[in-house]
Amino acid sequence: MNSDKRKIDTQKEIKPSLVSPFLAAILSAVIPGLGQALSRAVQRGLVLALGFFTSAGLLIWRFTQTARRDVGFVDIFKKAIRLEPILLVLLIATLILWIWIISDAYKQAKRPQGRAVGLFFILIMVFFGIGWQVGEVDAYKFFSELSQAKGMMSEVAWPWAKATTTPMEYHRPGFRIQVPCSGETLEDIDSSEGEPYILSTPDCGNLAEIDGTLGSELTLVGGNFTPGEEVTIVWNDPLKVEFNHRVEGKILRVIPDENGSFEVDITMPYRLVPPSAGEGTQIWEVFGKQIASIGKPVASEELKLAVEKIIETIFIGMMATAFGIVLALPFSFLAARNLMSGSWVTVAIYFLVRTFLNIVRSIEPLIWAIIFVLVVGLGPFAGILALSIHSIAALGKLYSESIESIDPGPIEAVQATGANWVQTIAFAVVPQIIPPFVSFTIYRWDINIRMSTIIGFVGGGGIGYLLSQWINKTDFEAAGIAVWFIAVTVAILDYVSAEIRKRFV
């Protein structure tokens, strides 16, 4: 008897198609998915129609974007295929999808079909192909040029040569040069004192000109330098701006002999000096720069900055999380449907709060950081404000959903005693929500720490600000130090959060 009943129920579930198989195929040829819908597979037809029209629309958009300067279907088609051959493959795949939908409509009207795995596979492949073309994915370029990034990646992966610096003292004797010559002698150097010195003959001259005219020839003589250690020839212009002397683009370096002496012929360099340097005779200086002594390695400036900014980053995330918790708690109770369904007033408050949280949460912290940088200026305060406002919305949503999923039994029991709304929350809701609240708070703290490194790129403070500067200057070793600090900090905080979660959740 039970088996007969199951047969009757099965027969009732299978309803005949509203159209013939041939008509269903024709209808799906005109409007893909319509044949399936009239064959009583409405959901199947809607999905196929949405998928086909979306993929076809995207394909048309890519054709017009690829050949945007051409007019006319034929010209657009030819140029787009020539520039992006993958579009022809996608067009063929879309046509196969269309034919398959027609065939599926015929079969569906004739006999209900199972899941259209093949259809959805083709649809996914079409979307993937369009994404490949939109994203301008070039696998060959990636692998062929990957070798060029090895040096940069190695600096980022192991940047510790930049983490220390060795203090150096220099011998830096100099000689003043008049430009142009005035006939006066500027200085008389005593070379018998044992200190390094440098002399120039003559002691005056003219600079090189932009039209190619060479500067005056000078003979530099140095003495009492450390033998065998290179000496770099350096200039100071009248504004005391230092620059290296170059010969054919290379920095001029000379090696003193066993007596610590050298002699080298040079021509005076070209240098555009602003009017603030003064008119008439100007005083230039030429130096011989040599390392005198090397001290013990000490922490580099980059390492000190990275330590300072990673601490700042941690506190940005911590402060943002703290502000987020304090302000998200009241919003979470007002955004919980089970607590705000008592009257039309509370329901209205519920919808207003949920709408506010959704709007705030939909704006990324990076956008908030840009807004607050304009309000309070560059620095960590802008980052704290950006992460705080996003944390309020995110935690408010998570907290409210936790409240909505609690067991209603304790609430009913407490309300049966005549407790008011505040007492109900204190004695029936709060004890149930502490574990999920702790879990969500720790999770948000982790997000804020990681996000605080990103908002630094737009001036929100923290180590991200340093990282963006070092990357812009192609100082990849310094950037590697920042990346290492970020990775280690996130790993440590993940361990700490796991231990906290273990105690409370």
Side-chain angles (χ1 to χ4, degrees), residues 315-329 384 388 391-392 395 441 444-445 448:
F315 276 96
I316 288 173
M318 184 189 72
M319 294 297 291
T321 306
F323 290 142
I325 294 170
V326 172
L327 298 174
L329 281 172
I384 291 173
S388 295
S391 296
I392 293 168
L395 287 176
T441 301
R444 187 65 203 183
W445 181 38
N448 283 341

Side-chain angles (χ1 to χ4, degrees), residues 307-496:
V307 172
E308 176 187 338
K309 291 300 180 180
I310 197 65
I311 294 173
E312 184 178 290
T313 299
I314 293 171
F315 276 96
I316 288 173
M318 184 189 72
M319 294 297 291
T321 306
F323 290 142
I325 294 170
V326 172
L327 298 174
L329 281 172
F331 281 116
S332 64
F333 290 104
L334 297 175
R337 183 185 293 271
N338 56 341
L339 299 181
M340 302 296 291
S341 57
S343 66
W344 68 268
V345 176
T346 56
V347 170
I349 294 173
Y350 162 79
F351 280 110
L352 286 173
V353 173
R354 293 289 289 196
T355 302
F356 169 76
L357 294 178
N358 288 333
I359 292 173
V360 173
R361 190 168 50 88
S362 66
I363 303 173
E364 285 297 313
L366 199 64
I367 308 300
W368 284 117
I370 295 173
I371 294 172
F372 285 117
V373 163
L374 297 175
V375 176
V376 300
L378 299 172
F381 185 40
I384 291 173
L385 290 173
L387 291 175
S388 295
I389 193 167
H390 197 270
S391 296
I392 293 168
L395 287 176
K397 178 180 181 296
L398 293 173
Y399 289 169
S400 64
E401 290 176 351
S402 298
I403 296 171
E404 290 176 346
S405 62
I406 62 176
D407 184 5
I411 296 178
E412 295 172 357
V414 171
Q415 288 177 340
T417 63
N420 57 30
W421 188 80
V422 175
Q423 291 171 329
T424 302
I425 290 175
F427 296 104
V429 177
V430 172
Q432 297 188 66
I433 62 176
I434 288 178
F437 271 36
V438 171
S439 180
F440 289 138
T441 301
I442 294 171
Y443 176 64
R444 187 65 203 183
W445 181 38
D446 183 75
I447 290 175
N448 283 341
I449 294 296
R450 287 184 282 109
M451 279 303 303
S452 59
T453 65
I454 302 300
I455 62 174
F457 276 74
V458 294
I463 200 167
Y465 185 66
L466 274 182
L467 185 59
S468 66
Q469 288 184 321
W470 285 334
I471 290 175
N472 290 335
K473 293 192 299 184
T474 65
D475 191 350
F476 296 115
E477 283 188 326
I481 294 174
V483 171
W484 269 85
F485 270 100
I486 293 169
V488 171
T489 301
V490 170
I492 293 173
L493 292 177
D494 180 69
Y495 173 77
V496 172

Side-chain angles (χ1 to χ4, degrees), residues 101-116:
I101 290 174
I102 295 171
S103 174
D104 181 73
Y106 181 87
K107 294 177 182 178
Q108 189 70 35
K110 192 172 184 180
R111 183 179 180 182
Q113 301 295 303
R115 294 180 178 178

Side-chain angles (χ1 to χ4, degrees), residues 132-244:
W132 186 284
Q133 199 270 340
V134 171
E136 299 180 1
V137 178
D138 191 341
Y140 173 77
K141 183 178 180 181
F142 173 78
F143 288 105
S144 62
E145 298 187 5
L146 185 61
S147 59
Q148 300 180 11
K150 286 183 178 179
M152 179 267 291
M153 294 302 296
S154 63
E155 290 179 359
V156 173
W158 196 255
W160 302 116
K162 192 83 172 185
T164 58
T165 185
T166 304
M168 296 182 183
E169 293 183 4
Y170 291 92
H171 294 309
R172 198 172 180 274
F175 192 87
R176 291 187 289 173
I177 307 291
Q178 297 180 83
V179 180
C181 295
S182 66
E184 299 180 5
T185 300
L186 295 179
E187 54 190 317
D188 183 18
I189 295 177
D190 185 2
S191 60
S192 63
E193 296 180 355
E195 292 295 324
Y197 66 89
I198 188 170
L199 300 172
S200 172
T201 306
D203 62 357
C204 61
N206 296 311
L207 299 173
E209 300 290 342
I210 193 172
D211 60 5
T213 303
L214 297 177
S216 300
E217 293 188 1
L218 304 177
T219 298
L220 301 182
V221 176
N224 295 337
F225 284 89
T226 303
E229 296 292 335
E230 66 179 26
V231 177
T232 303
I233 304 302
V234 180
W235 287 89
N236 264 8
D237 65 20
L239 297 178
K240 303 301 181 183
V241 177
E242 184 175 300
F243 63 96
N244 294 316

